[in-house]
Amino acid sequence: MNMDEIMDEEEEEFEFSRNYFLAKEHGSSSAKKSTNKLTDINLVDEQELREASLHIQPKHEKEIACLMDSYKNMYPEWVLALRSGFSLLMYGFGSKKVLLEDFASTALTEYSVVVINGYLQTINLKQVLITLAELLHDQVKAKRKASSRDLPKSQQPSNSQSIEDLLTFLDEAEIEEDGYVICVIIHNIDGPGLRDFETQQYLARLAACTHICIVASIDHVNAPLYWDKNMAHTQFNWCWYHVPTFAPYKVEGMFYPLILAHGGANQSVKTATIVLQSLTPNAQSVFKVLAEHQLSHPEEGEFLSTS
Amino acid sequence: MNPEEAAQIPRRTTRSLASSSASTSNNASSAKVNSLEPLTINDLLVGGDPISLDELFSNFPGRSSQILEIVSLLGPLNTPMLPLFVYGGASTGKTSIILQLFRHLNRPLVYSSCRTSYNQRILFESILNQLHLHRKSSANGYSNAKRCERPSDFINFLREALTDAINNLKEKSAKLISGKTMAQGGIGNMIYLVFDNFQLVREWDKSSTLLPFLFNLYDLLKIPEVGLIFISNTSPDTFYSSNMGYVEPIPVYFPDYTDADIRKILSRNQADSKLYSSFLDVALRSFFRVTRQVDELSTAFKPLYEKYCEPLSDKRVFPNGDKDKDMKRKLFSHINPHITSSLNEIFKVSSHPSVEVENSKEANLKVNQRKLERREEIAKLDFHMSTSAKYLLISAFLASRNPATLDASLFDSKGGSHNRKRKRKPSEKVPERKESLEEELLMKGPGSFPLERLLAIFQCIVSVAEDSSDEDKQSGELMSDVLLQLSSLCNAKFIFKGRSCPIEGSVRYRSTVSEDLALKVARSLKFPLSSYLYKRT
């Protein structure tokens, strides 16, 4: 390797940090800031936009189908990893929902499977745990009846039990025989409903239970920020698989508004939320003060401009 | 140990103190063991040459009051006694004094250690073996005299064996009285049972029934010719509280040795007492910080003393007068580096390597000693972190400490565009202004920084480190690994995290590490942290 290539490599490495520093340094200078506004774009009506998106021709269909077939060959490897105690984590460009469900329906037939749609806005984790506990309880009962052993004093999981009790039930070692494994498939474990630190801790404890194994997918770049080393390597025990599918995020994107659409008033709430989230905390508090003032003085400011 | 113990117990004298004079008797007695004659009642004696009380006092400096106390409690020949409870710290001479005392008093003794007899059954059977004068041999298939598991069986067997043995003794003493030889004064009618290392019984399986049983033995047996002695490391109230319903044994406390006593003990049997005392002056001071136990000190001092005497090997005579102090200083400087390494090894049992290995070790030792001395002054990091965690910690510290505008000039290899302008001359500000600026820095606390800035600094630092090191490290850290590391650091409270959702990137972090810790971490990575710190002048 000659010097030029080495220099290029170094520059590539530094690109992220150098760009960041330079950008911050020139932040105050107005030369590079663009003065374009969103209102300069001719926004379309939302309906039109949705119809048009339905008519998008998918490209490279053959290649994508080939790629998906190659993933099918990896199913046995994934099942092996699951049985060895790892949890699968799928990442890559494109929606992995179809892939995971296909995997579950073909390769995981001997286990019970529970699917959590992490891309929903809110997820009630306690309900999920109750479902899992009930499933396990039924399985235990069925096996016990078949082998005609004495039924242990296990109570029916109900809503009154705390999350701790449910987790201990799922983890208990009293049930010695193998085969009581429930697979939990979590689409978008970094979804908006699961971004709470507590929720991730419960999920980690769930993954550490002996009768549960987890298959999950992530889409956000900074998703590992939710887990620390203990959670990732010991409790979850992630095995990372890069599975780009290039499939459109049709289902996951349903809950996010189309920014480029010229929506009515109901859309502006969601877009306003997105815009507010990208502001600095100081600006957010300024808006908050403004909003409180407006709420407490409804008679002022009668007309609302949407521009 | 058990089969040998039954044969050797009558011959056994003291535990090994480095300079104990009683060890000579072991050599004499070991010849007799091989004859494998059947045991007689005389074999219950401690054996060895008789020693006088004065010899006992001189053998155990500083213990004269304890010896006298025990002698008075044991009483003259054939006086019944209450059970004794001898306790004191480790290596205070309890076992050796009891054994030597019985050698002096010449009375039969049944010794059992709760360390070698590590459970109830073995303890009972070993005592019964000794009382029955039973030696395990191939003839009886190395079996014990009686099989005894339960305390109830033990009591019955013990009573039988004791009455037999005591009758035996009475016959013997009757013969002696009728005979002419009264030189030895007889060994009396009493048999003493000694339980050593008694504190270990507390941890046995059935200790809750065993301990009251053993303490009650005196009442249960109702044989006045039996004396019980318990030896333990811990005081009696760790075994029972008062009002337990049995006769409490009389406690005898062995306090730890004073400094003067330790010196006396260690200096016994040394060829050159003056040289040794000057050696002790040097060595004891540092070793007293670690341990005061005589056995540990003696094992540690033996090789150290040889090292100390090395410079003198050509000069046999220890010079007096003015040369005294020079000599002392020379010896001191010779021994000093070895003391610290020896301190570390004090709990190790060192094997004896061959001569060649020792010679090569010495060559290395000198180089290491110098390094060790230099590094001792610099404080070391108390805990262990992975390299990426350390770099992340340093980047967080830098991000908190330096204002964001300086990053480009500090970290960017091309120096940023306004490099020249940013170089500030150290201005001549009034010292008070400097102080107030520093105070301001302290009061404001660490600054906050967003995630991207942290990652940018981290990438710069890591690549700097990779350039400077010679080894081939893999370039490009895994991003997810770094993020996981960040979360772990946050959980360990090295970095504070703001409230909002972290993965959107809007949360700001603060580093909570003090400058000392950051410097320590940087030093362990050989990272020049101080050149990156922003100094407000």
Side-chain angles (χ1 to χ4, degrees), chain A residues 42-101:
Chain A
N42 266 340
L43 294 175
V44 227
D45 195 23
E46 193 186 324
Q47 277 299 101
E48 273 187 49
L49 193 61
R50 287 198 192 270
E51 277 178 28
S53 69
L54 288 174
H55 293 304
I56 294 179
Q57 293 290 343
K59 300 181 201 165
H60 309 289
E61 273 183 321
K62 262 191 274 175
E63 285 85 350
I64 292 182
C66 204
L67 189 63
M68 299 298 284
D69 281 335
S70 72
Y71 291 148
K72 288 197 171 51
N73 294 337
M74 294 181 52
Y75 286 173
E77 188 184 321
W78 295 352
V79 175
L80 173 66
L82 277 181
R83 291 176 78 115
S84 315
F86 290 98
S87 308
L88 304 182
L89 189 63
M90 312 296 186
Y91 65 102
F93 182 71
S95 161
K96 296 168 274 299
K97 182 171 157 83
V98 173
L99 174 67
L100 284 185
E101 299 200 336

Side-chain angles (χ1 to χ4, degrees), chain B residues 49-326:
Chain B
D49 304 322
I51 59 174
S52 69
L53 204 58
D54 292 325
E55 278 184 38
L56 205 57
F57 285 152
S58 63
N59 278 348
F60 296 100
R63 286 278 179 247
S64 37
S65 59
Q66 279 83 30
I67 296 179
L68 287 173
E69 195 181 337
I70 297 185
V71 168
S72 64
L73 284 170
L74 285 177
L77 214 54
N78 295 339
T79 45
M81 59 167 258
L82 288 174
L84 281 190
F85 194 96
V86 177
Y87 67 102
S91 176
T92 41
K94 308 181 286 291
T95 311
S96 41
I97 286 186
I98 296 279
L99 290 172
Q100 289 298 301
L101 198 57
F102 273 92
R103 181 177 157 204
H104 157 71
L105 294 172
N106 210 19
R107 301 187 197 178
L109 179 71
V110 173
Y111 175 90
S112 54
S113 162
C114 301
R115 197 186 290 274
T116 46
S117 319
Y118 49 88
N119 65 23
Q120 182 172 294
R121 186 172 83 99
I122 300 183
L123 180 67
F124 291 162
E125 289 181 3
S126 113
I127 296 180
L128 289 173
N129 278 352
Q130 291 177 59
L131 280 174
H132 283 285
L133 306 169
H134 172 89
R135 184 193 273 126
K136 288 189 188 181
S137 66
S138 52
N140 51 32
Y142 298 105
S143 63
N144 293 320
K146 287 262 192 312
R147 183 179 160 74
C148 171
E149 281 199 26
R150 294 196 304 258
S152 45
D153 297 337
F154 180 61
I155 274 286
N156 296 333
F157 291 147
L158 188 63
R159 198 172 279 130
E160 284 176 30
L162 278 172
T163 33
D164 283 344
I166 291 169
N167 288 339
N168 206 342
L169 283 170
K170 281 190 183 151
E171 288 170 12
K172 259 196 106 183
S173 56
K175 278 191 206 158
L176 261 181
I177 291 174
S178 62
K180 263 92 180 231
T181 49
M182 281 281 283
Q184 273 193 335
I187 58 177
N189 300 339
M190 297 210 37
I191 294 196
Y192 298 89
L193 301 179
V194 172
F195 295 87
D196 199 1
N197 297 122
F198 201 56
Q199 76 276 2
L200 296 172
V201 178
R202 290 181 301 164
E203 287 142 35
W204 288 358
D205 262 347
K206 302 191 185 118
S207 62
S208 51
T209 46
L210 186 60
L211 277 176
F213 169 71
L214 287 175
F215 281 125
N216 243 342
L217 210 52
Y218 180 69
D219 280 331
L220 288 173
L221 283 177
K222 291 203 190 348
I223 303 179
E225 286 96 351
V226 172
L228 293 173
I229 302 180
F230 302 100
I231 307 182
S232 152
N233 267 355
T234 55
S235 65
D237 37 318
T238 54
F239 288 87
Y240 52 79
S241 50
S242 50
N243 303 330
M244 288 297 279
Y246 42 74
V247 178
E248 278 184 30
I250 303 176
V252 179
Y253 177 53
F254 274 57
D256 289 339
Y257 286 117
T258 60
D259 291 355
D261 286 337
I262 294 185
R263 289 182 75 111
K264 250 197 252 172
I265 295 177
L266 290 172
S267 322
R268 287 195 303 160
N269 283 354
Q270 293 293 340
D272 195 340
S273 57
K274 225 175 159 193
L275 184 60
Y276 199 73
S277 65
S278 62
F279 163 69
L280 283 182
D281 286 333
V282 171
L284 270 184
R285 221 181 321 129
S286 24
F287 273 84
F288 271 162
R289 277 186 274 140
V290 179
T291 173
R292 294 178 74 98
Q293 291 183 15
V294 177
D295 48 356
E296 288 170 358
L297 286 175
S298 59
T299 28
F301 280 170
K302 207 152 156 285
L304 217 53
Y305 182 56
E306 285 166 22
K307 261 228 140 19
Y308 184 76
C309 298
E310 266 170 16
L312 291 179
S313 54
D314 32 348
K315 305 180 191 173
R316 293 283 163 168
V317 182
F318 191 73
N320 294 320
D322 290 335
K323 288 194 185 171
D324 220 352
K325 287 190 182 158
D326 295 333

Side-chain angles (χ1 to χ4, degrees), chain B residues 272-481:
Chain B
D272 195 340
S273 57
K274 225 175 159 193
L275 184 60
Y276 199 73
S277 65
S278 62
F279 163 69
L280 283 182
D281 286 333
V282 171
L284 270 184
R285 221 181 321 129
S286 24
F287 273 84
F288 271 162
R289 277 186 274 140
V290 179
T291 173
R292 294 178 74 98
Q293 291 183 15
V294 177
D295 48 356
E296 288 170 358
L297 286 175
S298 59
T299 28
F301 280 170
K302 207 152 156 285
L304 217 53
Y305 182 56
E306 285 166 22
K307 261 228 140 19
Y308 184 76
C309 298
E310 266 170 16
L312 291 179
S313 54
D314 32 348
K315 305 180 191 173
R316 293 283 163 168
V317 182
F318 191 73
N320 294 320
D322 290 335
K323 288 194 185 171
D324 220 352
K325 287 190 182 158
D326 295 333
M327 202 51 180
K328 276 194 184 171
R329 216 176 296 130
K330 188 174 160 203
L331 291 170
F332 174 76
S333 55
H334 179 79
I335 196 80
N336 208 17
H338 299 285
I339 289 188
T340 28
S341 57
S342 179
L343 274 177
N344 281 337
E345 288 180 3
I346 204 162
F347 296 110
K348 263 201 265 174
V349 178
S350 51
S351 57
H352 296 284
S354 65
V355 185
E356 296 117 20
V357 177
E358 272 188 1
N359 285 340
S360 63
K361 259 196 204 172
E362 283 193 10
N364 290 338
L365 206 61
K366 286 196 178 156
V367 180
N368 287 342
Q369 294 305 329
R370 258 178 262 129
K371 275 197 197 166
L372 201 65
E373 283 168 29
R374 246 180 274 139
R375 284 228 189 108
E376 262 178 343
E377 293 140 24
I378 310 174
K380 285 206 183 139
L381 208 53
D382 288 340
F383 50 87
H384 179 72
M385 277 163 75
S386 62
T387 314
S388 63
K390 286 183 185 168
Y391 278 120
L392 205 57
L393 195 62
I394 295 178
S395 339
F397 177 71
L398 283 174
S400 267
R401 180 69 191 275
N402 296 345
T405 44
L406 267 197
D407 283 343
S409 53
L410 276 179
F411 294 111
D412 198 5
S413 59
K414 290 209 172 148
S417 53
H418 301 297
N419 199 9
R420 299 278 166 85
K421 276 193 193 170
R422 297 229 184 249
K423 276 187 188 164
R424 297 171 113 180
K425 293 177 201 158
S427 56
E428 294 161 3
K429 290 209 172 139
V430 189
E432 292 138 17
R433 182 110 166 91
K434 261 195 205 173
E435 259 184 48
S436 67
L437 275 178
E438 276 184 27
E439 246 186 61
E440 205 186 305
L441 176 67
L442 204 62
M443 292 301 277
K444 269 193 191 164
S448 67
F449 50 87
L451 178 66
E452 289 166 347
R453 183 171 166 217
L454 174 69
L455 293 176
I457 296 181
F458 177 72
Q459 194 186 50
C460 287
I461 291 182
V462 167
S463 43
V464 163
E466 280 178 10
D467 289 340
S468 57
S469 73
D470 302 326
E471 314 154 12
D472 250 18
K473 287 196 199 158
Q474 59 183 100
S475 60
E477 306 276 330
L478 290 172
M479 183 66 161
S480 67
D481 194 55

Side-chain angles (χ1 to χ4, degrees), chain A residues 227-263:
Chain A
W227 312 313
D228 60 7
K229 288 254 173 178
N230 177 42
M231 285 164 73
H233 296 314
T234 318
Q235 290 180 302
F236 276 118
N237 214 358
W238 289 129
C239 201
W240 297 69
Y241 286 105
H242 183 57
V243 283
T245 60
F246 304 101
Y249 285 100
K250 285 206 183 120
V251 183
E252 290 96 331
M254 260 190 349
F255 301 95
Y256 285 96
L258 300 171
I259 299 183
L260 293 178
H262 175 75

Side-chain angles (χ1 to χ4, degrees), chain A residues 17 25 195 220 225 228-229, chain B residues 408 481 487-488 491 503-504:
Chain A
S17 42
E25 195 176 287
R195 283 186 188 166
H220 199 286
L225 268 181
D228 60 7
K229 288 254 173 178
Chain B
D481 194 55
S487 302
S488 307
N491 284 344
I503 71 176
E504 295 295 340

